[in-house]
Amino acid sequence: MKEAVVAPGPTVKIIDSPIPEPNDDQVRIKIVVSGTNPKDWKLPTHYMPDLVINQGDDIAGIVDKVGANVTEFKVGDRVAAFHEMIKPHGSYAEYGIAWSHTTFPIPETISFEEAATIPLAAMTSAVALYVRLGFPSPVPVAEAPHESLPQPLDSTPLIVYGAGSAVGAFAIQLAVRSGIHPLICVAGKSAGFVEKLLDPSKGDVLIDYRAGDEVVVEGLQKALAGREALYALDAVSEKGSYANIAKVLSKTGGAKLTLVLKDAFDIAVKEYPEFDVSWTMVGAVHIDQKEFGRALYREFSRGLSEGWFEPHPHEVVPGGLEGLQVALDNLKNGKASAIKYVVRIAETKGVGVGTRFV
């Protein structure tokens, strides 16, 4: 089969690889569409230069084989899945492997392209809101207990910095579903997209970060209108974003700030000991949050069917795996605004032509 690996740069190389075999608790998926994420170029370029692997984690396709213990899925099912990061057999290939608990059905009304925008980013948002910040999960899970909140959800300000990113936008959707308001959101070029997700009648506000840090902080303070800021998700975690948030978080105790980048977390947890600073690492659903991951992925599937949960806007990069170089370069250069880049595997030159071997 054809598979793409990513080296520092990023540099994408397409190779021939054996078709992988699932273990007893996994499924093999014939991948129709793969999503992309910033980590796909950041990890090999900045953190793991010696690990040249298939970095893709967003799978959308058709179940091709199931492990002995898998009863929820069968061959032929349309599914999306979150591949376990930094492991073999990711989504940049004709076939990929996913654990059954991080695999979920795609409703017939949702395309493979749309489904490929969901797995990693949406689960990052869920872990941030319901595990790290402690909001009540829409599906009760023992792994994600929540504390009693100091005020009702509909009068609990939640700051979402980077609201136009996939993580930020999915967080807004989940917060709305959970009845959390007001949502105080910070975005830039994606402002028009974000505004459509908000409800001004419930106090939701959008602040444009392009006006500068001082204006952002003033906007956050104005939106809070004297209320305590106790909860914040920083879906950017770069370029001073968490510093702006820290200026408005409550200093009376109990304020929680969660970040999506480990480097930013390492700095912030030392700079702001007065806050409960955490790192939202989506890989937790393959470690200590497995049942949470299982429950929330099935909730995503239900939300897609019922219409209250929507995929992120996407752009198909032509050429299949050969288009990955463009997609990752665009991500590196900050060209993605309120979109996820996806690739159709069948568009890859040579796919299905003498490349299947086990």
Side-chain angles (χ1 to χ4, degrees), residues 229-244:
L230 294 173
Y231 304 97
L233 161 59
D234 186 351
V236 177
S237 304
E238 291 179 317
K239 300 177 181 178
S241 54
Y242 58 86
N244 287 341

Side-chain angles (χ1 to χ4, degrees), residues 293-356:
R294 180 189 302 276
L296 267 293
Y297 275 124
R298 280 130 194 85
E299 182 72 357
F300 295 166
S301 185
R302 185 169 73 90
L304 291 169
S305 295
E306 295 176 354
W308 56 263
F309 189 65
E310 297 181 353
H312 199 65
H314 68 273
E315 178 181 318
V316 177
V317 180
L321 296 177
E322 292 161 316
L324 279 175
Q325 186 68 62
V326 172
L328 297 186
D329 285 344
N330 285 349
L331 288 172
K332 179 180 179 179
N333 295 325
K335 293 184 178 181
S337 178
I339 61 164
K340 289 273 280 184
Y341 294 118
V342 304
V343 296
R344 298 176 178 134
I345 303 302
E347 292 182 1
T348 308
K349 190 179 301 181
V351 160
V353 182
T355 58
R356 181 183 178 100

Side-chain angles (χ1 to χ4, degrees), residues 1 19-22 26-32 59 61-67 70 73-79 94-98 103 356 358:
M1 70 171 188
I19 293 176
E21 288 293 324
Q26 295 174 331
V27 296
R28 183 170 73 199
I29 301 168
K30 182 175 176 56
I31 301 170
V32 178
I59 295 174
I62 299 169
V63 174
D64 181 71
K65 188 173 184 177
V66 299
V70 178
F73 303 103
K74 64 182 186 303
V75 173
D77 285 348
R78 299 173 79 247
V79 297
E94 293 183 63
Y95 295 85
I97 298 292
T103 301
R356 181 183 178 100
V358 295

Side-chain angles (χ1 to χ4, degrees), residues 248-272:
V248 302
L249 282 181
S250 173
K251 306 299 192 295
T252 61
K256 296 184 177 183
L257 166 64
T258 192
L259 303 99
V260 296
L261 297 182
K262 179 65 161 55
D263 289 353
F265 163 74
D266 289 339
I267 297 171
V269 73
K270 295 175 182 177
E271 288 189 352
Y272 305 107

Side-chain angles (χ1 to χ4, degrees), residues 92-111:
Y92 294 163
E94 293 183 63
Y95 295 85
I97 298 292
W99 294 91
S100 62
H101 76 277
T102 57
T103 301
F104 60 100
I106 302 174
E108 290 298 327
T109 55
I110 301 298
S111 70

Side-chain angles (χ1 to χ4, degrees), residues 80-235:
F82 174 38
H83 165 261
E84 185 173 3
M85 296 187 296
I86 319 300
K87 297 291 183 179
H89 318 314
S91 65
Y92 294 163
E94 293 183 63
Y95 295 85
I97 298 292
W99 294 91
S100 62
H101 76 277
T102 57
T103 301
F104 60 100
I106 302 174
E108 290 298 327
T109 55
I110 301 298
S111 70
F112 289 115
E113 289 82 0
E114 291 173 319
T117 71
I118 295 170
L120 185 150
M123 185 54 67
T124 302
S125 304
V127 172
L129 292 184
Y130 305 123
V131 179
R132 303 301 175 227
L133 295 182
F135 286 104
S137 168
V139 182
V141 184
E143 290 174 342
H146 63 273
E147 304 167 5
S148 296
L149 300 182
Q151 63 260 60
L153 288 175
D154 61 0
S155 57
T156 301
L158 169 63
I159 296 171
V160 180
Y161 210 112
S165 67
V167 171
F170 282 128
I172 292 172
Q173 290 194 57
L174 293 174
V176 169
R177 181 64 177 177
S178 295
I180 303 168
H181 293 283
L183 300 175
I184 303 175
C185 299
V186 180
K189 291 184 293 184
S190 58
F193 163 68
V194 175
E195 284 179 332
K196 297 176 183 178
L197 302 176
L198 305 180
D199 186 349
S201 72
K202 296 184 178 179
D204 296 350
V205 174
L206 176 65
I207 300 164
D208 193 327
Y209 68 75
R210 291 173 295 181
D213 290 344
E214 185 175 333
V215 173
V216 169
V217 173
E218 291 175 356
L220 292 171
Q221 293 170 332
K222 181 179 179 181
L224 287 166
R227 293 168 294 202
E228 280 195 304
L230 294 173
Y231 304 97
L233 161 59
D234 186 351

